[in-house]
Every structure is written in structure tokens, then in C-alpha cells.
Amino acid sequence: MRYLPMRRSKLVGTEGPGSLVISPEGETAVVGALDLWFRDSKGNKAKNIEEFAVNEPRLKSILKVDKFYTPPEFRKNSRNAMEVIPNSGLVTPLMRFPRWHYCSSCKSLRELELDQTSVYLDCPKCKTKRYYKQVPFVVVCEHGHLSDFPWHKWVHGDENTTCEGNLRIRMSGGTTLDSWRIECEGCNNSRGLQGVTSSNDGEKKTSVLGDTLNKIGSQKYTCEGERPWCGEEKEECSAAPVAILRNSISVYMAKKISALAIPGDYSENVDLIVSKIQSPAKYLLRTNLALLEDIEKKTQFIRTNLRFELKEGITDEDIQEALMYIEAGEEFEYTDEELEKPGLIIKQKEFEKLTSSVNSKELKVEPEWINEDSAEIDKNYYKPYLERISRVLKLKETTALYGFDRKDYKNTNDYSSYYPSLYKDYNSTNEKWLPVNEVYGEGIFLQLNSKKVEEWESSQEVSNYFEHYLRRVGHIEHRDDTILRPRNIMLHTLSHFLIDELANVCGYNRAAIRERLYLDEGQTGVLIYISAGDSEGTLGGLVRLGLQEKFFHILDKAKNNTEWCSSDPVCTELGKTQGQGINNLNGAACYNCSHIPETSCEFWNLYLDRSLLIDEKIGYLKYKGQIK
């Protein structure tokens, strides 16, 4: 495959190992396995990749891997023999996939190699050079395998066929696969492609391709077990194969987990020292520091090497405390019981910091409005409903990619079961590592009044309404059942309307704004933040809207937007009776009112209901109750 520029952040997400990426010309390639990364175009391994190492103790203790690395950036080799550019020439491997192409003129099918660079080839039928197009679909299975469509086997209706005749595509007009027919010029067999992309979900987990490929006999065709992101790799697989368009989102569903950088319970001086030592640019310092055993020698080594970066007043005790924190962080472990819900563990410490005042290098939180007894606050309409508003002037988010699903998204906390799919030879890899991406951003933190929420949630009207909702979705296997409380669905819906309104005035588009929900016991808060900036962070367009005089005006507009949907009264009535969206998981919520880009939402635009916000009987923002 030829060179293709890629964003490093996408390599820890939708374009991770095993995914299909599309070039501007429409050519598709599969991203190579992790043990093929950190190599140049000739396959030579990088001599020192510690420059790309990232330290995030909380994620490391949950995922239980040896290291985190950011994807390598591409650096050109120096033309000056005296100038040495570290880790130059590193590329991320791409393999052409699907391999099957057809001639743009005669429509003859042809299988190319994974490393084929040009698609202008001599056509045996046309007797001249022609442009070859990739076929539009691939074959996937629930175990994560990715294969080419079995053209010869399909047209002959036999997975054991020995005919190798030239295959041609006949198109009868139309834009669907129903208009495609495959012909074999060797034996004159032909077969259409109607329904090949269909699957029969349920307990049997069968597919049209698996059930009908073999015309004779009852033998089912099963997955080939191919792993093209690892080269010509195959393994045994008995799953039902499903043909799917190569640009479908079901081809690759990234499995990610993220955490905000949380400063330790130590002074600002210690925080500064820790951040300097753990900086990616200080990998050589960390390497030499590990060779020293005596704490006094380590302290002096830090003073010497960071003499221009440490401010006055930093004592030897500060340096030693920083070293102790770093060493303890590497060995931090959670219990098996805590790891049953890792997302809640990560967010627990974050919530503590967001509900206080923090001023560190990687997290700056300034409380803007706190529910207190004062004449000015008593006049505020939202006083009974909110606990606090904080402006997060700076934050750092670290996101780790630990695997991927194909065809269907699986809900599991067994992270290690996904690791082998990212590697070509996982068992032979000495250092188990995962790719991560770090971004700095800004945000606004909103916390609801917990006493008011409890009183509202326990009211008879809300309880009856939500019992009906639970009966409606009781047969669904939920990806995260933490959301299944009235307060959480209400807060999630409010978050969406706030994001929508903030995007109108902050200067960032909706896809750049994200939500981070805190739904554990005693939390009920949401962080709306930007995490799309560079190492210097974002421009402050969002955090300035967290000021009292601006935020409450935005909250008013968001509340007013929840009152009416352009699809009402249908949207509201459907939400209260049979539900909307996938598996009817939404109440009064649809594309016309409460949906935002799915990359911005933690729950994929599910578990939303405007009625829990503004309905006259069950709406939280309409509930008067006893608490003032």
C-alpha cells in the first residue's frame, strides 16, 4: 500500500489496528498489528521508543499492561550526515484490503497482494493497462476476523471447488448488490449477490452467506479466520461469516477507555516535579534515573538535570516525595471487586477533584457558583436544582485503545481478552503495551442538588413512570446498567441540550464537545468538555461560558429547547408509550431534539428522555417538592 497521512488520535480509535482506512482516492487499507509498529519502511525496528512512552497509573492498573505508547509521528531522515534525528522514518503499516479488485472496463475480478501499491495494471482481457477498483464489501465474523468475499466458492456454490476460471461481474443497472451477478468463464456458472449482506441474528447466529454458499448438502460455510492486519495469518474459526460493506461502522468498533489526569494529594511543587519527570521528552532522564538506587543520588540527579526547569523554593523533601509518588503509582493495583466496574473507579477520584478547587499543571478547577444561603442566590430559579458550577480551565485526557469488535458491540470488562486481536503474535511479545492518545482541553462541570434529586426520584409519579420504562426495556442486555435510574437518564438528557446550546456560542462544533457523566452513588454530575486541542490545550471558548452571567442564560435556552420538539406531539407521545430509538431505549428523544454526534455521547444517543426534565408531572426542572 502507498503512503497515506493519518492522524495520531485516529490510530487510538476508529483507525486502530485491524481497522479499514480510506484514502482520498477511495482505496481501502487495513492498519497493521501493534507488533509491526515502530518500524521504518524497510521493517527496521526503532532503537529507542521510550520517547513515546506515556505514564497513566490509574489506566495501567486497570488494563494491567506493561506500557503505554502514543502512535509514532513521522519524521523525515536528515540529509545532513552529522545531524541525527531520533526515531526518524517510522511509519504505521498499511496493507491493501480487500485484495479483490475488478477491471473498470471489462469487470474481470482479480486478487492483488497485500503490499500492492499501484492499481493501474495490465488487464489480461483488455490487453492494455486499466484502473482496478476494489470490491465494495468484505466478510467479518463476531470473533473479529476479516476476510475477502469467497468469490470462487460463491459462484460455484461449493466451498471445495477446484475451478479457477476467470470471474467477471455483470451489472444490470441499479445501485444495490441485487444488480450484481458473478460469472465464471471457465465453467459458465453464474450467481447473483442478492441478500449476501444479511445476517440472521438470535440464538442461532447464522448468516445468508454461511447458510446458502454451499448449494448441495447441509454443510454450513464458516469463517475463514483471516487476520490481514497481521499479514497472511489464519486461525480456526466456526463462526457464521457475514458480508458487509467495507465502509460500514460495524466493520470496526473500537474499544476504548479514558481517564482524566488527576493530581495527587501533594503540594504544587511536588506536582511540578512529577510532571517534569513524566514528560515524554524526559525518557532519557527516566532511563538514567532508574539506574540509581540511593534516594540521595536520585535527588541530586534531578536537581542537576532539571536545574533550569525547577522553580526556587523546591526542597529535597519535595523531590523525594515526587519520586515516591512515581514509584507508588507504578505499583498501584485495584481489587477484583473494584475492577468489576472500572469506569466508576476512574471517575470516583475525578469527581472528588471536580467538586473542589484544584490548581495543578494538568488540572485546574475553579468553583464558579455554589448553592449557598444568600439573598442573591435565593433569587436564582435554579438554586433548588443545582449544587455547583465549576469552570475547568485545564484538563488532560488520556485515552487507551484495548481492542475492537466487529459486527456486534460486546459489553464486557474482560479487557485482556481483546489484547491478542491487536497483535500478530501476542504470546511471543516480551512487552505488552497499548496505544494511547493524550489531549489537553477545557470544560464546565455541573453538579445537581443531591437532596432535591433524591426527593424527586422517590416521588410517586416518577416511580410509576420509570417502572413502566423498566418493564419496556427489561428484555434488553444493557451495555452499562448504571444509567438505569431516573436521575441518570435525566442528567444525560440535560447534558445533550447543554452541549447543543454551548456549540451555538462557544466557537467549537458539536462533534468537538463531549460529555463525561458521573453517575455513581452520591455523584449526579456531568463534565462538558473539549478534548480536541494540541499540547497547549484549547482556546478558552467553552470555559468562558462557565461564568455565572453567561452560563445561566445558556441553561435557560437549553431548558426552553427541551420544551418542544419539531416532531411533537409524536415525539413526546411515543416516548411515554412505546419508546423510540434502538430497542426503544429512548423516551421523548429523537434526532430532531436531543441527539448529538455519537462521538460526543457516552451512551451512543441512547437512554434519553425530555419528559424527565420538563414534563409538568414528572420533570425535574418543574418539580417543586419540599426542598427550596
Side-chain angles (χ1 to χ4, degrees):
M1 190 70 183
R2 63 180 181 79
Y3 288 113
L4 179 66
M6 302 177 67
R7 295 178 60 182
R8 299 171 75 188
S9 58
K10 288 288 190 72
L11 290 169
V12 189
T14 56
E15 297 179 358
S19 67
L20 294 180
V21 296
I22 303 176
S23 72
E25 292 76 24
E27 298 176 42
T28 305
V30 62
V31 180
L34 290 181
D35 38 3
L36 303 179
W37 286 24
F38 294 106
R39 299 169 184 255
D40 60 21
S41 57
K42 298 179 180 179
N44 300 317
K45 289 186 177 181
K47 294 181 179 179
N48 194 338
I49 64 173
E50 288 301 313
E51 174 186 355
F52 304 106
V54 171
N55 184 57
E56 176 47 65
R58 293 194 302 150
L59 277 183
K60 186 176 179 182
S61 59
I62 288 175
L63 296 173
K64 296 182 178 179
V65 292
D66 299 323
K67 284 286 186 69
F68 290 133
Y69 292 108
T70 60
E73 61 184 6
F74 179 73
R75 303 167 184 168
K76 291 184 179 180
N77 293 303
S78 174
R79 296 181 179 180
N80 186 351
M82 300 299 294
E83 182 183 9
V84 178
I85 299 178
N87 294 317
S88 59
L90 298 184
V91 295
T92 302
L94 294 176
M95 281 76 92
R96 179 175 295 276
F97 198 86
R99 285 168 288 196
W100 281 90
H101 295 60
Y102 62 92
C103 173
S104 57
S105 179
C106 68
K107 303 298 186 292
S108 293
L109 282 165
R110 180 175 179 178
E111 186 177 15
L112 305 184
E113 298 296 329
L114 288 172
D115 59 354
Q116 181 74 38
T117 56
S118 175
V119 288
Y120 288 93
L121 305 171
D122 291 325
C123 176
K125 297 289 293 184
C126 300
K127 305 298 182 181
T128 186
K129 192 177 289 291
R130 296 293 189 187
Y131 173 68
Y132 274 77
K133 298 180 181 179
Q134 280 179 307
V135 294
F137 50 91
V138 294
V139 175
V140 300
C141 82
E142 60 181 349
H143 296 152
H145 296 127
L146 179 66
S147 308
D148 276 294
F149 187 81
W151 298 99
H152 279 287
K153 297 175 182 179
W154 175 260
V155 74
H156 294 100
D158 181 8
E159 62 179 300
N160 298 314
T161 182
T162 57
C163 179
E164 294 294 333
N166 182 61
L167 302 181
R168 296 182 69 178
I169 301 173
R170 293 294 185 188
M171 300 180 183
S172 58
T175 58
T176 65
L177 290 179
D178 293 348
S179 64
W180 281 40
R181 191 167 190 84
I182 313 303
E183 297 179 349
C184 176
E185 295 182 341
C187 60
N188 294 324
N189 273 326
S190 68
R191 193 174 186 183
L193 296 177
Q194 295 89 343
V196 293
T197 58
S198 302
S199 62
N200 303 321
D201 294 325
E203 294 182 1
K204 294 184 178 180
K205 293 184 178 181
T206 60
S207 67
V208 171
L209 177 61
D211 292 345
T212 63
L213 184 140
N214 292 302
K215 291 182 178 180
I216 302 176
S218 59
Q219 182 180 0
K220 302 290 186 181
Y221 172 67
T222 58
C223 174
E224 299 277 355
E226 293 185 7
R227 305 173 72 223
W229 62 98
C230 304
E232 302 292 342
E233 292 284 322
K234 278 190 177 184
E235 57 188 21
E236 293 293 328
C237 183
S238 59
V242 177
I244 190 170
L245 292 175
R246 55 187 167 101
N247 59 352
S248 170
I249 60 173
S250 299
V251 172
Y252 189 88
M253 291 170 281
K255 307 283 283 189
K256 300 184 292 183
I257 184 171
S258 64
L260 300 182
I262 299 297
D265 299 321
Y266 44 76
S267 67
E268 185 177 347
N269 287 346
V270 177
D271 182 28
L272 174 64
I273 300 168
V274 171
S275 65
K276 293 296 182 184
I277 295 175
Q278 292 181 344
S279 169
K282 303 296 182 184
Y283 68 94
L284 188 58
L285 181 144
R286 293 192 297 272
T287 302
N288 293 329
L289 188 65
L291 301 176
L292 302 175
E293 297 181 357
D294 185 65
I295 187 66
E296 297 295 337
K297 291 182 179 179
K298 288 185 176 182
T299 303
Q300 189 57 43
F301 180 80
I302 293 297
R303 277 206 177 278
T304 302
N305 287 271
L306 298 179
R307 59 187 180 278
F308 299 116
E309 301 177 55
L310 300 181
K311 62 183 182 180
E312 295 182 7
I314 290 182
T315 64
D316 289 351
E317 288 75 17
D318 291 334
I319 297 176
Q320 292 171 11
E321 187 176 349
L323 292 171
M324 291 173 62
Y325 165 77
I326 294 172
E327 292 173 1
E330 295 293 332
E331 300 171 359
F332 189 87
E333 291 188 3
Y334 293 112
T335 64
D336 292 338
E337 184 178 353
E338 289 175 322
L339 287 175
E340 291 181 2
K341 291 189 175 182
L344 298 182
I345 299 174
I346 289 176
K347 291 181 177 179
Q348 182 178 5
K349 192 68 174 179
E350 295 176 8
F351 186 81
E352 293 176 9
K353 296 297 181 181
L354 292 170
T355 53
S356 59
S357 178
V358 181
N359 184 17
S360 69
K361 180 178 177 59
E362 296 176 341
L363 182 65
K364 294 183 180 180
V365 182
E366 288 187 2
E368 178 65 23
W369 183 92
I370 299 176
N371 191 336
E372 296 175 340
D373 294 327
S374 68
E376 183 178 350
I377 290 181
D378 284 340
K379 298 177 183 178
N380 194 318
Y381 173 84
Y382 296 102
K383 178 183 183 294
Y385 306 104
L386 304 183
E387 181 66 32
R388 75 171 58 234
I389 299 167
S390 295
R391 296 193 305 140
V392 184
L393 280 72
K394 192 171 187 179
L395 59 85
K396 187 179 81 168
E397 182 186 38
T398 303
T399 303
L401 175 74
Y402 63 85
F404 60 86
D405 283 325
R406 300 198 198 275
K407 186 176 177 287
D408 296 309
Y409 191 94
K410 303 179 183 64
N411 182 27
T412 176
N413 290 329
D414 185 11
Y415 300 119
S416 60
S417 64
Y418 283 95
Y419 300 165
S421 65
L422 298 176
Y423 284 83
K424 180 178 180 179
D425 189 357
Y426 180 72
N427 295 326
S428 300
T429 304
N430 295 325
E431 184 180 72
K432 305 298 190 290
W433 65 276
L434 295 175
V436 298
N437 183 52
E438 291 183 306
V439 290
Y440 286 86
E442 60 184 273
I444 300 172
F445 176 72
L446 179 71
Q447 182 186 7
L448 302 185
N449 186 330
S450 57
K451 292 182 180 179
K452 186 76 169 181
V453 168
E454 289 175 6
E455 181 184 317
W456 165 79
E457 193 175 48
S458 60
S459 65
Q460 191 63 44
E461 293 83 357
V462 175
S463 297
N464 293 340
Y465 179 82
F466 204 71
E467 284 177 7
H468 172 71
Y469 173 81
L470 291 178
R471 286 195 299 271
R472 189 175 79 215
V473 301
H475 64 289
I476 304 300
E477 182 181 353
H478 302 279
R479 298 178 184 179
D480 186 353
D481 56 9
T482 308
I483 191 73
L484 294 177
R485 296 185 66 177
R487 65 176 68 185
N488 296 340
I489 293 179
M490 176 269 295
L491 177 64
H492 185 209
T493 309
L494 176 61
S495 169
H496 277 220
F497 280 94
L498 279 173
I499 288 175
D500 206 22
E501 190 57 39
L502 287 166
N504 292 334
V505 291
C506 74
Y508 297 103
N509 59 48
R510 292 195 303 167
I513 307 175
R514 300 180 62 185
E515 66 180 4
R516 194 168 181 85
L517 297 164
Y518 298 88
L519 308 177
D520 202 6
E521 285 294 332
Q523 292 186 351
T524 321
V526 59
L527 172 66
I528 298 174
Y529 68 106
I530 303 287
S531 65
D534 58 14
S535 60
E536 298 301 321
T538 49
L539 301 175
L542 179 65
V543 76
R544 68 181 176 86
L545 299 178
L547 297 170
Q548 291 186 47
E549 60 269 20
K550 296 182 179 180
F551 184 78
F552 285 112
H553 179 62
I554 290 172
L555 185 56
D556 273 332
K557 285 188 173 182
K559 174 181 173 294
N560 293 337
N561 290 338
T562 64
E563 301 273 358
W564 181 256
C565 170
S566 60
S567 295
D568 273 341
V570 176
C571 178
T572 299
E573 291 177 357
L574 282 178
K576 290 182 177 181
T577 54
Q578 66 188 50
Q580 303 180 82
I582 298 175
N583 295 321
N584 296 324
L585 290 173
N586 285 339
C590 68
Y591 283 101
N592 293 321
C593 56
S594 58
H595 286 201
I596 61 175
E598 289 194 3
T599 53
S600 301
C601 176
E602 284 198 345
F603 288 93
W604 316 278
N605 278 326
L606 302 177
Y607 308 101
L608 299 165
D609 193 348
R610 289 184 297 117
S611 296
L612 291 173
L613 266 176
I614 44 79
D615 186 83
E616 293 294 337
K617 294 182 179 180
I618 61 173
Y620 176 69
L621 295 180
K622 295 293 182 70
Y623 181 75
K624 302 303 179 184
Q626 303 298 320
I627 300 174
K628 302 297 183 183

